[in-house]
Amino acid sequence: MPKLNMVQAINLALREEMQRDKNVVILGEDVGRDGGVFRVTEGLLEEFGAERVIDTPLAESVIAGSAIGMALYGLKPIAEIQFMGFIYPAIDQIFSHAARVRSRSRGRFTCPIVVRAPYGAGIKAPELHSESTEALFCHMPGVKVVVPSSPYNAKGLLISSIRDPDPVIFLESTRLYRLIKEEVPEGEYAIPLGKARVVQEGKDITVISWGSMLHRSLQAVGGFDAEVIDLMTLNPFDEETIFKSVKKTGRVMIVHEASKTGGFGAEISATIAEDEILYLKAPIIRVTGYDVVMPLPKLEDYYIPTVERIRKGIEEAMKY
Amino acid sequence: MPKLNMVQAINLALREEMQRDKNVVILGEDVGRDGGVFRVTEGLLEEFGAERVIDTPLAESVIAGSAIGMALYGLKPIAEIQFMGFIYPAIDQIFSHAARVRSRSRGRFTCPIVVRAPYGAGIKAPELHSESTEALFCHMPGVKVVVPSSPYNAKGLLISSIRDPDPVIFLESTRLYRLIKEEVPEGEYAIPLGKARVVQEGKDITVISWGSMLHRSLQAVGGFDAEVIDLMTLNPFDEETIFKSVKKTGRVMIVHEASKTGGFGAEISATIAEDEILYLKAPIIRVTGYDVVMPLPKLEDYYIPTVERIRKGIEEAMKY
Amino acid sequence: MPVRVIETIDIKRLDILDEKGNVDESLMPALSDIEIKGMYELLTLSRTFDHHALSLQREGRMGTYASIFGQEASQIGSALALEKSDWIFPSFREMGVYITMGYPLHMLFQYWGGDERGVKCPEGLNIFPVCVPVGTQTPHAAGAAMAAKYKGDKIAVACYFGDGGTSEGDFHESMNMAGVFKLPVVFICQNNQWAISVPRERQTASKTIAQKAAAYGFEGVQVDGNDIFAVYKATKEAVDKARRGDGPTFIECFTYRMSDHTTADDAARYRTKEEVDAWKAKDPILRLRLFMEKNGLWSEQYQKEVEEKAKTVVDEAIRTAEAIEHPEPKDMFTYTYEKLTPRQIKEMRDF
Amino acid sequence: MPVRVIETIDIKRLDILDEKGNVDESLMPALSDIEIKGMYELLTLSRTFDHHALSLQREGRMGTYASIFGQEASQIGSALALEKSDWIFPSFREMGVYITMGYPLHMLFQYWGGDERGVKCPEGLNIFPVCVPVGTQTPHAAGAAMAAKYKGDKIAVACYFGDGGTSEGDFHESMNMAGVFKLPVVFICQNNQWAISVPRERQTASKTIAQKAAAYGFEGVQVDGNDIFAVYKATKEAVDKARRGDGPTFIECFTYRMSDHTTADDAARYRTKEEVDAWKAKDPILRLRLFMEKNGLWSEQYQKEVEEKAKTVVDEAIRTAEAIEHPEPKDMFTYTYEKLTPRQIKEMRDF
Ligand SMILES: Cc1ncc(C[n+]2csc(CCOP(=O)(O)OP(=O)(O)O)c2C)c(N)n1
Ligand SMILES: Cc1ncc(C[n+]2csc(CCOP(=O)(O)OP(=O)(O)O)c2C)c(N)n1
Ligand SMILES: [Mg+2]
Ligand SMILES: [Mg+2]
């Protein structure tokens, strides 16, 4: 089996789904001739032509909005937003329409779009190229949010997202794009949305993370008997897997790169504090980015949760 | 002292602040000649002229964005978004700029704007006229979020918001606009941002709410020895007041109108679960809107947390 | 600056039927008497629908409603140029379009009564639900047109919005997209001179709205929006052009909102009675009646029949709408996603 | 459709200095020899800055950088028409504007090195920090202009963006706002023919970008963006008009991005060498040199001096920038709000 990095794995998923289903089309800035600024769509224009791999004008709202229109018409559009920091102009289309099409039309129209965006810090990029505001999209019923953490699950989750009958925000860690290679099978396999993955079993503490922070978490748990969960789908999220783990460990730490206040860690913590508090032996710890405007590259490394900060979080929980 | 409803109290705050400071200007759709669709800006055009009460074209992004430009230039603009459901096109300006101007320019430029918007359900209005997505704005460092629950605190909080040197999202419950009248003094008084208000003291449970849900919460607590907290400022929020209360009661319920997942109740709950868990006797209960697309008027009343649902939440917590 | 002219753009205006009921024969589209009578009947039906909707709202039997009074010719004239297989992206003030396309009237009352099921478009029609956030439907029109083009379907996409809607960023991005990809879209702006309290000249400084198309490299034309023949003709040409693969067209229907913005509005706060009165003479139905009278297509008797028929149809629709059972509270969960989420399943236990 | 023309819009183009260094005397702005030499020196300094920035990036001493190579005349010509009291809203590719306005060079290196302090605009200048999200600076320009107008300040606001930027909704909303309120803004579009990999003709279908102003009821003009005299003249007239209270102007500087989009880009993937080579002959610095040569303002010796001076200044700026101490981690908290929040105070304890 070939070893692929995440860029290649996503490219493969796109290619295979486009081969399988003529209704799958890609649109976005520089996705065609340039193959995407991260080369995620490389070669697709050549293979599928300009009608299916569409270089759009520089306008995020109509990228999302026209994807919605295509979906209404029966296509399965995959819209790329060049960086998550540029998704904000498209939020209105995502929130006011993509999320509501099915409900508004009582199912007559549906909106099976995928909005892909590179997210997160760690590649020393300019301002607004390092956002990780996934939590925003988790507060909009009608939208699903998926964040893969490895090439293998990126491919499987993307296939599921493309086939999903509802809108999916699919966030790809820029830092992970070329960091890890792993075996990624060719051909079809789908990892179901809404299911988390227990990456490592353990008895003392449940560490919940997703995307790029999963790796730092895995680095940090060494020496502890930690159960590590890769959430993968943030909305709707897999309460069951979390609850099962919490019942066993009685301790929880959530790690994410987004700033703390209102981050998705809050929802996980609150869900546990509401449903499983009696099993808890310790405070629910959140190790997150700080509540600050994301700094430029010189300070970026201080913003992102470090292995050391994550370890401290575990140690804190283990005091109880 | 005159008894005013919330529309009148906000109008008074605007008028007085405009009289006090020539740099305060208002802009938005229909804020001038029409006095705003809820009449919140009634009479201001006549008193202050079209250069200070500006009827803009129908374009939310430039309403927020030009307010930012005015603020950079030294004015204190108050932008009205006609309904919170129409703030989404302005989110990019609020998140990418208003929130970051101070940080980006290391304080050379600041962004003292207020973005006012009517929010919430309960007046049987058309689609997207009933949003309560305040949590979104609480996840963006650099932005403050204020939600008054009564005419008196609406005036005092608005004065503080206008004078605040940073961007403030100021959300006004459409349902409360004309529901309650209370004594509102003329002249200056400011209610500090970032401070919650203990509306009623109690020993058995802490009920935390804001805006329109505060009133339902107050109706629901009858018969319980509940401490009711009106959060007022959601970001940055008053941990101290909450912690003090939780230490006393050991039980917490949070009530908000927004849908549950990723609502601001999650942040409050998570904060308590992180810092005060040892004081808790019971699960932290959230009584909220459902995780659904906000329904049209026929089902609206089923969506909004009812007094009965809130009571059930308290009863649930009191079982422990 | 005495410099070279590198581009010249002419903005044209089309008028066919004047206020007295006279037509410019050279421009008159080929319409049979039956078709012309059909137009008149649709105009009357739409206005009757509108008046009844306003009454229902006043009586507390319906929610906030946006009247189409005065804009009937813009709506019916343009919709008549469309086929059922075409796709339509309305804003919130296009009841005349729905009615012309044969949308069940009772569902419109149901929708304005606050029930989503009213805009569950019946199979066989492709009308997207009422779009409340101004201008945000324009990208959908571009996208649907792109999809139709990709699929090789010879359809047109009609996108409706107001003068105010042209100020939104989405309008711009969609027009631009349509221009770049030569999409089969007809953008139909009902310039009714007001966006709530903001008059046309404070909405934009361009002399016409039609000229906005120049920014996107395709044709923009202004038509007398109270002249159903002109609206029909301009739309038909644009639709045919779209089907031929010759790209988008922008049509400014120059009309007037005779009512308050919605039932929640009081237009007397911001515009004069004189202005409104001046537009009464330009009424789209009146002038068609005068034309028909001159051409022997109208009589008092006919008028009575048309009015009675309209009233019967509308009354029946109201009865049907009001007899529909209240939606189930659980319905609010059902259409969030294709499948309920685990959390929703828990939440639904409240009902 | 044989109908009435109700509006005609002419789009003009201004050229003064051709590729051979000849000028159209009738159009030539009044510039002293010293001023012309000043232009040349700024062009050279900016290009020197740019080349050094690219080298630093390659050496890993600086982050991603957006080159201005080829666009110097558009930037310096327009900036020279501004006063220090004017307000400037750049995008991310306007180093020539910063340099012309007297912005400390070392701060520019500092910024591109990933340090916010580099765009803390010194007092006495009103240049808003580099704006990364495309088009989003345009509303700020409208707002600042509105504020200036309200305060009665006789200043102009210059707003820079690219051809790609004109596709964003914000551009549209801001242009419209400026038109409605007759704001003192000069919108300066550097049409460098590319938005990363998207060529101008796939960005928008309008024949010129200048004609987009027609949508907003004010003047748009195209100038040869590699002709510093034309850019200067057009901007000066627009700035004067703004100061007079006669409203906004849109200027399309027709130029070319000679470099990759940024140092993270590889333009060879999407455009031909032939296209780039064809633009070499149109170089803005070369043609000014030819003009100066013809007019006795240039010599080999002068060239050497100008180059050496530029190099010295740039080297010095790099030294200064690189000597600046690394920002404190705590700095990332300091400017979120005027005061730290209680939560931030806790978070800061990590440092
Ligand atoms: C994005 C958005 N902003 C504000 C509103 C509130 N609103 C509803 S209709 C309207 C005016 C619309 O004017 P126009 O586009 O001319 O259409 P008309 O009402 O005249 O048919 C406004 C401001 C809205 N629905 N959506
Ligand atoms: C809102 C937004 N979307 C996407 C990007 C990524 N991006 C940076 S520059 C650029 C192209 C800009 O083209 P143009 O406006 O012509 O300016 P130029 O780069 O040619 O100077 C893109 C797509 C961005 N910075 N902001
Ligand atoms: Mg209108
Ligand atoms: Mg460009």
Side-chain angles (χ1 to χ4, degrees), chain B residues 22 61 73 97 239 267, chain D residues 136 150 153 170 338 343 346:
Chain B
K22 270 196 162 7
S61 187
Y73 201 88
H97 291 292
E239 291 184 359
E267 178 56 45
Chain D
T136 58
Y150 167 57
D153 297 342
D170 272 359
E338 190 196 38
R343 180 161 282 186
K346 278 191 254 170

Side-chain angles (χ1 to χ4, degrees), chain D residues 79-341:
Chain D
L80 280 171
L82 302 170
E83 307 287 331
K84 280 203 195 300
S85 53
D86 291 329
W87 279 62
I88 299 175
F89 291 88
S91 84
F92 50 85
R93 198 191 296 286
E94 275 80 31
M95 294 309 108
V97 174
Y98 279 88
I99 291 170
T100 306
M101 297 310 290
Y103 197 92
L105 255 68
H106 71 270
M107 291 178 72
L108 299 177
F109 286 117
Q110 188 184 5
Y111 171 74
W112 291 104
D115 185 339
E116 285 84 356
R117 294 172 298 175
V119 282
K120 175 172 183 168
C121 183
E123 292 296 331
L125 280 178
N126 303 304
I127 313 184
F128 194 67
V130 163
C131 179
V132 168
V134 168
T136 58
Q137 71 278 29
T138 52
H140 312 157
M146 213 146 175
K149 197 176 167 184
Y150 167 57
K151 293 207 165 189
D153 297 342
K154 291 266 161 285
I155 62 128
V157 175
C159 184
Y160 289 88
F161 47 86
D163 43 315
T166 66
S167 294
E168 291 280 5
D170 272 359
F171 163 78
H172 170 73
E173 297 189 7
S174 308
M175 290 279 285
N176 192 48
M177 185 86 125
V180 167
F181 295 101
K182 280 198 144 210
L183 299 177
V185 190
V186 185
F187 291 98
I188 301 169
C189 176
Q190 290 180 69
N191 170 11
N192 63 5
Q193 315 303 332
W194 291 90
I196 308 188
S197 71
V198 177
R200 158 63 186 82
E201 63 279 8
R202 306 294 302 162
Q203 191 63 245
T204 184
S206 66
K207 189 174 155 198
T208 68
I209 294 191
Q211 78 201 56
K212 291 185 185 289
Y216 314 101
F218 60 89
E219 193 193 357
V221 59
Q222 189 185 78
V223 303
D224 180 343
N226 287 6
D227 166 354
I228 194 165
F229 297 145
V231 174
Y232 172 77
K233 184 185 168 88
T235 314
K236 189 78 176 61
E237 290 183 11
V239 166
D240 290 345
K241 169 178 147 192
R243 279 195 231 289
R244 276 197 315 272
D246 290 340
T249 308
F250 179 87
I251 299 173
E252 174 189 358
C253 297
F254 198 89
T255 180
Y256 196 77
R257 193 195 82 205
M258 297 298 292
S259 281
D260 294 331
H261 168 67
T262 64
T263 50
D265 176 53
D266 173 12
R269 293 176 65 89
Y270 50 77
R271 68 182 188 187
T272 63
K273 197 177 162 311
E274 291 68 49
E275 178 183 313
V276 181
D277 284 346
W279 275 89
K280 278 192 186 145
K282 299 185 200 288
D283 187 73
I285 304 191
L286 176 64
R287 68 171 81 172
L288 183 60
R289 203 194 75 191
L290 294 174
F291 168 83
M292 288 166 72
E293 224 174 323
K294 281 183 221 248
N295 290 273
L297 296 172
W298 186 90
S299 67
E300 293 285 355
Q301 175 59 22
Y302 171 73
Q303 180 68 19
K304 237 183 95 188
E305 279 166 28
V306 172
E307 278 174 17
E308 264 168 25
K309 172 119 185 281
K311 198 175 164 315
T312 311
V313 169
V314 170
D315 282 342
E316 174 64 26
I318 294 172
R319 259 195 306 281
T320 309
E322 294 194 330
I324 293 170
E325 77 296 358
H326 196 278
E328 286 291 320
K330 283 189 181 191
D331 283 1
M332 76 179 145
F333 294 90
T334 323
Y335 295 100
T336 316
Y337 302 97
E338 190 196 38
K339 295 206 185 80
L340 293 168
T341 67

Side-chain angles (χ1 to χ4, degrees), chain B residues 58, chain C residues 71 92-93 161-165 189-196 198-200 203 209 255-257 261:
Chain B
L58 212 178
Chain C
Q71 302 179 212
F92 50 85
R93 198 191 295 287
F161 46 87
D163 43 314
C189 176
Q190 290 180 70
N191 170 10
N192 64 4
Q193 315 303 331
W194 290 91
I196 308 189
V198 177
R200 158 62 187 84
Q203 190 65 244
I209 293 191
T255 181
Y256 195 76
R257 192 194 82 207
H261 168 68

